[in-house]
Amino acid sequence: MKIAIASGKGGTGKTTLAVNLAASAPMPICLLDCDVEEPNAHLFIRAENIQRHPEGVFVPVIDTDRCTLCGKCEAICRFSALVIIGKRLLAYPEMCHACLGCMRICPEEAISPGERILGDVLSGSFGPHQLIWGEMRVGEAMSPPLIEAVQRMAPEDRPLLLDSPPGTSCPMIAAIRDCDFVVLVTEPTSFGLHDLTLAVETARHLKIPCGIVVNRAEKGNTQIQDYAALEDIPVLLEIPFRRSYAESYSRGEKLIDTDPALRKAFTGLWDIIIKKAEDQKTRRAS
Ligand code: SF4
Ligand code: SF4
């Protein structure tokens, strides 16, 4: 079972939901923090026995003795990572998307595999649970391979809870595309609603059922609930707007340790999510 926590934009409380849900899981789970550009689940969870593995991607290495400057690799590269200038073939590894096209098309076998380190994948444990997260190197722009590396490290013997990168672009899609259910976290503002609609469209396009959690919910502000009713999407939980929650967040504490009522609410949320994810698995299998 694979459940994603996502949001149409950053700052809605996605990681807050992910860490509190992980810490109140009724069975051993693995939390995958796929927000590799700005991972912060580990700041709240404080995993033990941490291991770090560098993660790299393919980049072409040119053998200038073999290269005849035929131009086939330059022509196939959609990212302009290979350019012939005068009598030299220049490679720009930071623009390479590791499609391997150049290596396969080269008639002289002048291109061999090199490696560019994108960042690190880290793993550790907290109680009966596991936490895996990625840390992208400063200046690196290509996050999907590192997100995939985080997912490859996931154990197969337990449910996976995945903290997705914010937004609805390639990193978010790379993270959630094979999930059984996605929880969309939003806030009751016009920006929140706008970006929620994009996230809902993305989940629907990927044919993943979704539910909504309203963070910083305010009495009398029902714009998210109205939209959810119109689109027939369940509102799974409302987390009220409270100063004490913001203070505990700023101290790196989990909300479930601040408010026993929220601990109960998160336990109840698991029951709903498990049911919805299992329904989706059954639908996929039939
Ligand atoms: S395809 Fe091979 S031989 Fe042709 S320019 Fe590229 S590296 Fe050189
Ligand atoms: S692997 Fe693909 S993206 Fe990278 S240089 Fe070769 S053709 Fe371009």
Side-chain angles (χ1 to χ4, degrees):
M1 184 188 308
K2 201 166 174 184
I3 297 148
I5 314 288
S7 64
K9 74 180 192 65
T12 57
K14 183 175 54 60
T15 299
T16 299
L17 189 83
V19 297
N20 283 281
L21 201 54
S24 48
M27 70 300 236
I29 58 124
C30 178
L31 173 60
L32 304 172
D33 187 351
C34 292
D35 190 358
V36 298
E37 292 179 46
E38 203 175 340
N40 52 10
H42 63 287
L43 302 177
F44 296 88
I45 275 175
R46 300 182 189 98
E48 296 172 333
N49 307 317
I50 295 171
Q51 293 182 24
R52 179 183 287 268
H53 314 270
E55 188 63 35
V57 282
F58 168 92
V59 286
V61 176
I62 316 291
D63 183 339
T64 49
D65 292 337
R66 282 175 172 256
C67 176
T68 58
L69 297 175
C70 73
K72 287 187 175 172
C73 58
E74 182 187 35
I76 203 177
C77 184
R78 291 196 294 136
F79 303 99
S80 303
L82 293 168
V83 182
I84 294 175
I85 297 178
K87 292 191 173 169
R88 288 184 64 196
L89 171 62
L90 301 179
Y92 296 93
E94 63 284 355
M95 294 169 77
C96 172
H97 281 55
C99 72
L100 310 187
C102 54
M103 193 169 75
R104 290 188 178 135
I105 206 167
C106 177
E108 307 298 334
E109 297 186 352
I111 299 181
S112 58
E115 188 181 48
R116 174 163 59 101
I117 298 297
L118 290 178
D120 296 307
V121 176
L122 298 96
S123 62
S125 57
F126 60 107
H129 312 300
Q130 270 181 272
L131 172 66
I132 301 175
W133 73 101
E135 287 180 359
M136 206 156 86
R137 288 211 165 163
V138 174
E140 183 55 60
M142 205 166 64
S143 62
L146 194 56
I147 293 170
E148 281 158 17
V150 169
Q151 300 206 45
R152 274 200 306 277
M153 288 269 293
E156 292 181 358
D157 65 340
R158 57 186 64 203
L160 305 177
L161 185 64
L162 194 148
D163 187 2
S164 156
T168 50
S169 58
C170 298
M172 183 261 205
I173 290 168
I176 75 163
R177 64 186 159 205
D178 61 346
C179 286
D180 301 306
F181 188 73
V182 57
V183 180
L184 298 173
V185 188
T186 188
E187 57 188 10
T189 63
S190 300
F191 284 131
L193 179 57
H194 174 267
D195 292 339
L196 173 66
T197 60
L198 298 179
V200 167
E201 279 172 32
T202 306
R204 284 182 170 159
H205 186 74
L206 295 170
K207 297 189 170 51
I208 306 171
C210 63
I212 295 171
V213 167
V214 186
N215 191 24
R216 298 190 275 273
E218 297 169 309
K219 272 194 184 131
N221 183 342
T222 60
Q223 56 183 316
I224 302 294
Q225 290 81 349
D226 295 345
Y227 164 78
L230 206 64
E231 295 291 330
D232 197 21
I233 303 168
V235 175
L236 308 169
L237 180 67
E238 293 181 25
I239 302 173
F241 187 27
R242 291 209 182 128
R243 185 185 173 92
S244 58
Y245 293 173
E247 286 173 349
S248 74
Y249 180 88
S250 68
R251 289 192 296 267
E253 296 168 2
K254 294 187 281 301
L255 295 184
I256 55 171
D257 297 331
T258 307
D259 184 343
L262 270 186
R263 180 175 284 276
K264 207 169 155 204
F266 273 96
T267 308
L269 184 54
W270 266 110
D271 295 339
I272 303 169
I273 290 173
I274 289 170
K275 169 89 177 59
K276 292 202 176 285
E278 281 175 352
D279 287 349
Q280 170 70 352
K281 284 180 81 140
T282 310
R283 266 197 299 277
R284 272 195 187 137
S286 60

